[in-house]
Amino acid sequence: MMGKRSVVTAMALLCVGSMALSGCESGEASKTASDGKPIVTVQIVKDARTEKMSELGWTKDLEAACDCHIEWHETVSSSWDQQKKASLAAEEVCIAAIGGFGSGDMAEYASLFLDLTDELDNMPNLKRLFEAEPYAQALSTTADGKILGAPSVGRTITARTSNHMFINKQWLDKLGLQVPTTWDELEQVLKAFKTEDPNGNGEADEIPLDFNSPGTGGFGLFQPNVLLSSLGIVVGNGPLGMYVDNGEVKNYLTDERYKEVVEFLHRLWQDGVISNEAFTHDWSKYTSTAKGEGDTAKVGVTWMWTPSDIFGTELADQYITIPSLKASADQEELPVWSYNGDELAYQVDRAVISANPSNKEAALKLVDAFYSPDISVQAHYGSFGTCVKKNGEGDYTVLDPADSTKNASDWQFANSLADGAPGWIGGGMKLELPAQHTEYREADKVYDDDFSRVDFNNDVFYANMPLTMEQSRTVSANNTGITQGAMSKFAQWVTKGGVDEEWDAYVDNLQKNNLDDNIKTYQQVYDSFKKTMNKVGVDYNTINDEG
């Protein structure tokens, strides 16, 4: 995906200046190398840790599969957004693009991308994937029946959530405290973390609670809106505030339960137990702080994919996963948990081809090659010999990092597209993974009871549901005012208070910015997608169980 760490990696990227899309112009002439093989220009949007594509051994296998030469145009994700807008406005896209475009682009700029529906006979690997994974084809099909992008599927290597909540068990044991089960108990534990020197270094340097800083564009992963799960709301894939309850699309931004979460967080802020940089630090500072100093931990509680990802391998063993908390001990509503498993397992439009590509045959071969077992594994984990051992056909062992200074995640992202790769991890392949790559399974298992209370067919806002052009434009036009009104107030209310006094005016403002209109639109999108799922016979509860 960028799947299991899809938003993790996007936020982890270092900013670079925008670069022009030279060589990626609409209708560009066919190019041929001196050996007579076609040249395919490929826009690749990747993690900042990834080496140059031409230096990754597996890209030579990709070129061999398409019998072509690839001219890479590389951009890290943090600089892509503005570049993409300029590219789409100018109607200039590369022959192929990996990781650069999404379902919203397919709705707004469909004419720029090749419909793969009638090309599947020329793409046997992708065709085989769609036959085995009808949900992947449903997600990849636009509202008007086109397939404008090829997905990434990896149900066998994903969890149900990215938002695992971790607490330092070593600190709890030292202070004689139990794992909290309610908000009040969490508050008392955090106060003790602040005042009783649990890391034992004689300094008041502990940060009881930290989180990934919410941006002006809305909530992402590893942020405290996850606490809505305590009150029965399945936070997950939805655009800002959207969720589903028994088949009905709703929005928590104007829900009294959201106000409860804000009031609780303000109480924690007044207690001084939330990092004073929680709303200002960048991703690098957030993750480096959590890694502490040597074997001395600094952060008590936060959210992340796995302990080693956020705390590093030296400190990971100090942390355990906390099951969902109750807001209060006597509440009747049973907690659930945050879900984005479909977004992790099924990513849409990971690879697209321009509408009128030069060297079309080579471009189709190139994209299809990503869905062969060998390229799927290498594009996700790294080259054979260095990162992966091929034991036989469809049988692979992912190796431990050859660089002892890197954890498994950093090594993976240095040598592959990792979660950003198109491909199919599954399909009967045998894949043995190092311990760090399976660490998420234990973290995820803690939420079994919470997920048992979720009906995945009726209580999940599915990721990447296709919108029509009109629907996309409607929600896009409304989102600016909604997002500005919501996110500025969230930070203000947590740090300065005032939610109770300002609540009615805030709700009125969001309604004036057409929040209800967006809810109505997403209900239409949801209902339409459910019909598609029913048509192809998808039972999402079964998909979740198998994944």
Side-chain angles (χ1 to χ4, degrees):
M1 300 126 282
M2 267 159 110
K4 64 185 178 189
R5 281 174 286 269
S6 60
V7 180
V8 187
T9 56
M11 294 173 185
L13 305 174
L14 300 174
C15 290
V16 300
S18 293
M19 53 187 288
L21 283 176
S22 59
C24 294
E25 299 179 3
S26 177
E28 64 177 289
S30 297
K31 298 179 182 179
T32 304
S34 58
D35 60 4
K37 292 184 179 182
I39 297 174
V40 179
T41 58
V42 179
Q43 178 70 46
I44 179 77
V45 181
K46 63 189 184 73
D47 191 286
R49 290 170 288 182
T50 307
E51 300 291 341
K52 290 182 178 180
M53 299 300 292
S54 60
E55 296 177 3
L56 301 178
W58 61 267
T59 61
K60 304 301 184 293
D61 292 346
L62 186 63
E63 288 184 321
C66 67
D67 197 26
C68 70
H69 295 285
I70 301 173
E71 184 179 287
W72 297 103
H73 295 257
E74 304 183 32
T75 307
V76 296
S77 294
S78 57
S79 67
W80 172 242
D81 189 50
Q82 290 302 315
Q83 184 178 332
K84 180 177 75 169
K85 290 177 182 177
S87 171
L88 292 172
E91 299 186 355
E92 296 178 354
V93 296
C94 280
I95 293 174
I98 307 299
F101 300 99
S103 55
D105 304 315
M106 301 303 107
E108 286 278 329
Y109 300 95
S111 63
L112 299 183
F113 304 100
L114 181 66
D115 182 2
L116 302 179
T117 307
D118 295 330
E119 305 291 347
L120 291 178
D121 285 340
N122 300 317
M123 306 178 78
N125 295 315
L126 182 60
K127 184 177 182 179
R128 184 171 67 94
L129 166 62
F130 283 154
E131 289 171 348
E133 293 276 5
Y135 186 72
Q137 184 163 358
L139 279 175
S140 301
T141 303
T142 64
D144 58 353
K146 298 177 180 178
I147 300 175
L148 300 179
S152 173
V153 178
R155 284 196 291 126
T156 60
I157 54 169
T158 58
R160 294 163 294 187
T161 183
S162 296
N163 282 311
H164 303 116
M165 187 174 184
F166 300 115
I167 189 167
N168 193 305
K169 182 64 162 57
Q170 185 169 300
W171 288 9
L172 289 173
D173 292 344
K174 179 177 180 180
L175 302 181
L177 300 172
Q178 300 299 311
V179 176
T181 61
T182 67
W183 288 1
D184 284 345
E185 290 177 7
L186 175 64
E187 182 178 16
Q188 295 310 308
V189 164
L190 295 177
K191 285 181 176 179
F193 283 176
K194 176 181 172 64
T195 60
E196 298 183 29
D197 190 28
N199 68 13
N201 67 351
E203 300 178 25
D205 57 351
E206 289 85 356
I207 299 172
L209 175 65
D210 201 3
F211 47 78
N212 181 30
S213 180
T216 57
F219 292 110
L221 293 175
F222 323 124
Q223 295 169 355
N225 61 321
V226 175
L227 291 172
L228 285 161
S229 300
S230 299
L231 298 166
I233 293 178
V234 181
V235 177
N237 307 304
L240 182 57
M242 297 292 176
Y243 71 101
V244 172
D245 178 15
N246 196 28
E248 182 180 354
V249 176
K250 300 180 179 181
N251 192 286
Y252 62 70
L253 293 175
T254 55
D255 191 302
E256 288 288 330
R257 290 173 290 182
Y258 176 68
K259 188 168 81 165
E260 284 185 58
V261 170
V262 172
E263 289 172 331
F264 174 60
L265 290 170
H266 176 58
R267 200 167 79 213
L268 296 183
W269 187 270
Q270 287 183 308
D271 292 337
V273 298
I274 297 177
S275 168
N276 58 15
E277 297 182 326
F279 288 96
T280 58
H281 56 38
D282 62 13
W283 177 262
S284 177
K285 181 64 183 297
Y286 167 58
T287 55
S288 63
T289 299
K291 288 178 172 59
E293 296 178 1
D295 61 357
T296 301
K298 293 297 183 68
V299 174
V301 175
T302 194
W303 293 269
M304 183 51 69
W305 172 250
T306 66
S308 63
D309 271 349
I310 182 65
F311 305 111
T313 55
E314 191 166 358
L315 295 178
D317 289 345
Q318 294 188 21
Y319 292 84
I320 62 170
T321 312
I322 310 177
S324 63
L325 305 169
K326 289 185 176 181
S328 61
D330 59 352
Q331 73 178 57
E332 295 183 5
E333 179 76 55
L334 292 175
V336 289
W337 193 248
S338 167
Y339 177 80
N340 65 324
D342 56 344
E343 184 178 45
L344 301 179
Y346 298 91
Q347 294 188 65
V348 299
D349 306 317
R350 299 313 299 164
V352 299
I353 297 175
S354 61
N356 298 295
S358 61
N359 297 325
K360 178 181 176 181
E361 181 181 353
L364 291 171
K365 286 182 178 180
L366 186 152
V367 170
D368 190 55
F370 274 103
Y371 299 90
S372 67
D374 282 1
I375 299 296
S376 287
V377 169
Q378 291 184 92
H380 197 88
Y381 292 105
S383 301
F384 290 152
T386 305
C387 302
V388 179
K389 178 184 177 185
K390 182 176 180 179
N391 305 311
E393 289 303 312
D395 184 354
Y396 311 95
T397 298
V398 177
L399 304 174
D400 287 318
D403 183 347
S404 61
T405 67
K406 287 184 168 64
N407 63 26
S409 176
D410 288 340
W411 179 248
Q412 180 185 8
F413 278 101
N415 290 282
S416 73
L417 297 179
D419 300 335
W424 182 17
I425 304 296
M429 71 170 57
K430 182 180 178 181
L431 183 66
E432 183 178 346
L433 298 171
Q436 284 187 42
H437 282 292
T438 60
E439 187 182 354
Y440 71 89
R441 294 174 184 168
E442 289 301 314
D444 208 62
K445 189 183 298 183
V446 172
Y447 301 107
D448 283 350
D449 287 344
D450 301 310
F451 283 123
S452 72
R453 294 186 282 271
V454 176
D455 179 352
F456 292 91
N457 281 323
N458 295 295
D459 295 330
V460 168
F461 191 103
Y462 304 110
N464 300 311
M465 293 183 290
L467 282 68
T468 66
M469 182 181 295
E470 181 180 355
Q471 289 168 337
S472 180
R473 288 176 176 172
T474 295
V475 298
S476 179
N478 294 337
N479 276 343
T480 300
I482 294 169
T483 304
Q484 288 176 347
M487 297 313 295
S488 61
K489 285 299 180 184
F490 178 74
Q492 176 188 321
W493 286 338
V494 171
T495 59
K496 298 180 180 179
V499 61
D500 197 51
E501 297 84 354
E502 299 179 10
W503 181 256
D504 291 343
Y506 157 81
V507 171
D508 183 58
N509 176 62
L510 292 190
Q511 290 173 341
K512 286 179 179 178
N513 279 284
N514 302 315
L515 178 61
D516 290 341
D517 191 23
N518 271 13
I519 295 172
K520 179 181 177 181
T521 298
Y522 278 116
Q523 184 71 61
Q524 295 169 350
V525 172
Y526 176 84
D527 291 342
S528 176
F529 187 68
K530 286 296 289 287
K531 289 180 181 178
T532 300
M533 288 176 62
N534 291 335
K535 184 177 180 180
V536 298
V538 174
D539 178 346
Y540 203 82
N541 282 308
T542 301
I543 285 179
N544 179 70
D545 290 341
E546 292 177 352

PDB file of all heavy atoms in Angstrom, residues 79-94:
ATOM      1  N   SER A  79       6.111  16.790  -2.507  1.00  0.00           N
ATOM      2  CA  SER A  79       6.166  17.874  -3.485  1.00  0.00           C
ATOM      3  C   SER A  79       5.219  17.639  -4.663  1.00  0.00           C
ATOM      4  O   SER A  79       5.159  18.449  -5.587  1.00  0.00           O
ATOM      5  CB  SER A  79       7.591  18.028  -4.025  1.00  0.00           C
ATOM      6  OG  SER A  79       7.952  16.895  -4.792  1.00  0.00           O
ATOM      7  N   TRP A  80       4.483  16.531  -4.628  1.00  0.00           N
ATOM      8  CA  TRP A  80       3.717  16.128  -5.802  1.00  0.00           C
ATOM      9  C   TRP A  80       2.408  16.893  -5.958  1.00  0.00           C
ATOM     10  O   TRP A  80       1.954  17.146  -7.073  1.00  0.00           O
ATOM     11  CB  TRP A  80       3.446  14.627  -5.755  1.00  0.00           C
ATOM     12  CG  TRP A  80       2.498  14.142  -6.819  1.00  0.00           C
ATOM     13  CD1 TRP A  80       1.281  13.562  -6.648  1.00  0.00           C
ATOM     14  CD2 TRP A  80       2.696  14.187  -8.242  1.00  0.00           C
ATOM     15  NE1 TRP A  80       0.714  13.236  -7.845  1.00  0.00           N
ATOM     16  CE2 TRP A  80       1.566  13.616  -8.854  1.00  0.00           C
ATOM     17  CE3 TRP A  80       3.718  14.673  -9.056  1.00  0.00           C
ATOM     18  CZ2 TRP A  80       1.432  13.504 -10.238  1.00  0.00           C
ATOM     19  CZ3 TRP A  80       3.586  14.559 -10.440  1.00  0.00           C
ATOM     20  CH2 TRP A  80       2.455  13.981 -11.009  1.00  0.00           C
ATOM     21  N   ASP A  81       1.769  17.277  -4.873  1.00  0.00           N
ATOM     22  CA  ASP A  81       0.416  17.814  -4.963  1.00  0.00           C
ATOM     23  C   ASP A  81       0.331  19.012  -5.900  1.00  0.00           C
ATOM     24  O   ASP A  81      -0.500  19.051  -6.815  1.00  0.00           O
ATOM     25  CB  ASP A  81      -0.097  18.195  -3.574  1.00  0.00           C
ATOM     26  CG  ASP A  81      -1.575  18.563  -3.595  1.00  0.00           C
ATOM     27  OD1 ASP A  81      -2.361  17.786  -4.154  1.00  0.00           O
ATOM     28  OD2 ASP A  81      -1.924  19.629  -3.071  1.00  0.00           O
ATOM     29  N   GLN A  82       1.199  20.003  -5.700  1.00  0.00           N
ATOM     30  CA  GLN A  82       1.154  21.179  -6.563  1.00  0.00           C
ATOM     31  C   GLN A  82       1.574  20.834  -7.988  1.00  0.00           C
ATOM     32  O   GLN A  82       1.025  21.346  -8.956  1.00  0.00           O
ATOM     33  CB  GLN A  82       2.060  22.282  -5.998  1.00  0.00           C
ATOM     34  CG  GLN A  82       1.541  22.910  -4.718  1.00  0.00           C
ATOM     35  CD  GLN A  82       0.154  23.508  -4.884  1.00  0.00           C
ATOM     36  OE1 GLN A  82      -0.137  24.189  -5.863  1.00  0.00           O
ATOM     37  NE2 GLN A  82      -0.712  23.252  -3.909  1.00  0.00           N
ATOM     38  N   GLN A  83       2.542  19.958  -8.103  1.00  0.00           N
ATOM     39  CA  GLN A  83       2.995  19.535  -9.425  1.00  0.00           C
ATOM     40  C   GLN A  83       1.868  18.836 -10.171  1.00  0.00           C
ATOM     41  O   GLN A  83       1.677  19.040 -11.376  1.00  0.00           O
ATOM     42  CB  GLN A  83       4.195  18.613  -9.278  1.00  0.00           C
ATOM     43  CG  GLN A  83       4.805  18.179 -10.612  1.00  0.00           C
ATOM     44  CD  GLN A  83       6.031  17.312 -10.415  1.00  0.00           C
ATOM     45  OE1 GLN A  83       6.717  17.438  -9.411  1.00  0.00           O
ATOM     46  NE2 GLN A  83       6.295  16.443 -11.355  1.00  0.00           N
ATOM     47  N   LYS A  84       1.119  17.999  -9.455  1.00  0.00           N
ATOM     48  CA  LYS A  84       0.007  17.289 -10.077  1.00  0.00           C
ATOM     49  C   LYS A  84      -1.057  18.252 -10.578  1.00  0.00           C
ATOM     50  O   LYS A  84      -1.588  18.098 -11.687  1.00  0.00           O
ATOM     51  CB  LYS A  84      -0.609  16.299  -9.084  1.00  0.00           C
ATOM     52  CG  LYS A  84      -1.779  15.522  -9.685  1.00  0.00           C
ATOM     53  CD  LYS A  84      -2.333  14.509  -8.720  1.00  0.00           C
ATOM     54  CE  LYS A  84      -3.170  15.146  -7.629  1.00  0.00           C
ATOM     55  NZ  LYS A  84      -3.921  14.120  -6.861  1.00  0.00           N
ATOM     56  N   LYS A  85      -1.374  19.247  -9.767  1.00  0.00           N
ATOM     57  CA  LYS A  85      -2.388  20.212 -10.184  1.00  0.00           C
ATOM     58  C   LYS A  85      -1.990  20.897 -11.481  1.00  0.00           C
ATOM     59  O   LYS A  85      -2.814  21.093 -12.384  1.00  0.00           O
ATOM     60  CB  LYS A  85      -2.602  21.246  -9.070  1.00  0.00           C
ATOM     61  CG  LYS A  85      -3.285  20.692  -7.838  1.00  0.00           C
ATOM     62  CD  LYS A  85      -3.399  21.754  -6.746  1.00  0.00           C
ATOM     63  CE  LYS A  85      -4.041  21.180  -5.492  1.00  0.00           C
ATOM     64  NZ  LYS A  85      -4.099  22.182  -4.384  1.00  0.00           N
ATOM     65  N   ALA A  86      -0.711  21.266 -11.559  1.00  0.00           N
ATOM     66  CA  ALA A  86      -0.234  21.918 -12.783  1.00  0.00           C
ATOM     67  C   ALA A  86      -0.280  20.957 -13.966  1.00  0.00           C
ATOM     68  O   ALA A  86      -0.650  21.338 -15.084  1.00  0.00           O
ATOM     69  CB  ALA A  86       1.186  22.438 -12.565  1.00  0.00           C
ATOM     70  N   SER A  87       0.079  19.707 -13.709  1.00  0.00           N
ATOM     71  CA  SER A  87       0.077  18.697 -14.770  1.00  0.00           C
ATOM     72  C   SER A  87      -1.326  18.468 -15.311  1.00  0.00           C
ATOM     73  O   SER A  87      -1.542  18.432 -16.527  1.00  0.00           O
ATOM     74  CB  SER A  87       0.649  17.389 -14.218  1.00  0.00           C
ATOM     75  OG  SER A  87       0.476  16.328 -15.130  1.00  0.00           O
ATOM     76  N   LEU A  88      -2.284  18.330 -14.411  1.00  0.00           N
ATOM     77  CA  LEU A  88      -3.656  18.079 -14.844  1.00  0.00           C
ATOM     78  C   LEU A  88      -4.243  19.290 -15.557  1.00  0.00           C
ATOM     79  O   LEU A  88      -4.934  19.158 -16.578  1.00  0.00           O
ATOM     80  CB  LEU A  88      -4.520  17.690 -13.642  1.00  0.00           C
ATOM     81  CG  LEU A  88      -4.197  16.337 -13.004  1.00  0.00           C
ATOM     82  CD1 LEU A  88      -4.984  16.158 -11.719  1.00  0.00           C
ATOM     83  CD2 LEU A  88      -4.477  15.194 -13.964  1.00  0.00           C
ATOM     84  N   ALA A  89      -3.966  20.474 -15.023  1.00  0.00           N
ATOM     85  CA  ALA A  89      -4.489  21.687 -15.656  1.00  0.00           C
ATOM     86  C   ALA A  89      -3.947  21.854 -17.066  1.00  0.00           C
ATOM     87  O   ALA A  89      -4.649  22.319 -17.976  1.00  0.00           O
ATOM     88  CB  ALA A  89      -4.138  22.906 -14.805  1.00  0.00           C
ATOM     89  N   ALA A  90      -2.675  21.457 -17.260  1.00  0.00           N
ATOM     90  CA  ALA A  90      -2.061  21.569 -18.578  1.00  0.00           C
ATOM     91  C   ALA A  90      -2.338  20.351 -19.454  1.00  0.00           C
ATOM     92  O   ALA A  90      -1.917  20.306 -20.610  1.00  0.00           O
ATOM     93  CB  ALA A  90      -0.543  21.737 -18.423  1.00  0.00           C
ATOM     94  N   GLU A  91      -3.045  19.359 -18.883  1.00  0.00           N
ATOM     95  CA  GLU A  91      -3.348  18.112 -19.595  1.00  0.00           C
ATOM     96  C   GLU A  91      -2.065  17.427 -20.072  1.00  0.00           C
ATOM     97  O   GLU A  91      -1.979  16.921 -21.186  1.00  0.00           O
ATOM     98  CB  GLU A  91      -4.312  18.350 -20.749  1.00  0.00           C
ATOM     99  CG  GLU A  91      -5.653  18.899 -20.296  1.00  0.00           C
ATOM    100  CD  GLU A  91      -6.673  18.994 -21.423  1.00  0.00           C
ATOM    101  OE1 GLU A  91      -6.306  18.719 -22.581  1.00  0.00           O
ATOM    102  OE2 GLU A  91      -7.827  19.329 -21.137  1.00  0.00           O
ATOM    103  N   GLU A  92      -1.052  17.434 -19.195  1.00  0.00           N
ATOM    104  CA  GLU A  92       0.229  16.823 -19.505  1.00  0.00           C
ATOM    105  C   GLU A  92       0.519  15.719 -18.489  1.00  0.00           C
ATOM    106  O   GLU A  92       0.731  15.989 -17.310  1.00  0.00           O
ATOM    107  CB  GLU A  92       1.348  17.867 -19.465  1.00  0.00           C
ATOM    108  CG  GLU A  92       1.201  18.957 -20.527  1.00  0.00           C
ATOM    109  CD  GLU A  92       2.296  20.002 -20.432  1.00  0.00           C
ATOM    110  OE1 GLU A  92       3.088  19.930 -19.462  1.00  0.00           O
ATOM    111  OE2 GLU A  92       2.358  20.886 -21.297  1.00  0.00           O
ATOM    112  N   VAL A  93       0.479  14.499 -18.948  1.00  0.00           N
ATOM    113  CA  VAL A  93       0.801  13.371 -18.085  1.00  0.00           C
ATOM    114  C   VAL A  93       1.779  12.456 -18.823  1.00  0.00           C
ATOM    115  O   VAL A  93       1.800  12.409 -20.051  1.00  0.00           O
ATOM    116  CB  VAL A  93      -0.463  12.572 -17.678  1.00  0.00           C
ATOM    117  CG1 VAL A  93      -1.392  13.426 -16.845  1.00  0.00           C
ATOM    118  CG2 VAL A  93      -1.186  12.023 -18.904  1.00  0.00           C
ATOM    119  N   CYS A  94       2.589  11.748 -18.068  1.00  0.00           N
ATOM    120  CA  CYS A  94       3.534  10.808 -18.673  1.00  0.00           C
ATOM    121  C   CYS A  94       2.791   9.647 -19.323  1.00  0.00           C
ATOM    122  O   CYS A  94       1.605   9.431 -19.088  1.00  0.00           O
ATOM    123  CB  CYS A  94       4.483  10.273 -17.604  1.00  0.00           C
ATOM    124  SG  CYS A  94       5.839  11.391 -17.182  1.00  0.00           S
TER     125      CYS A  94
END
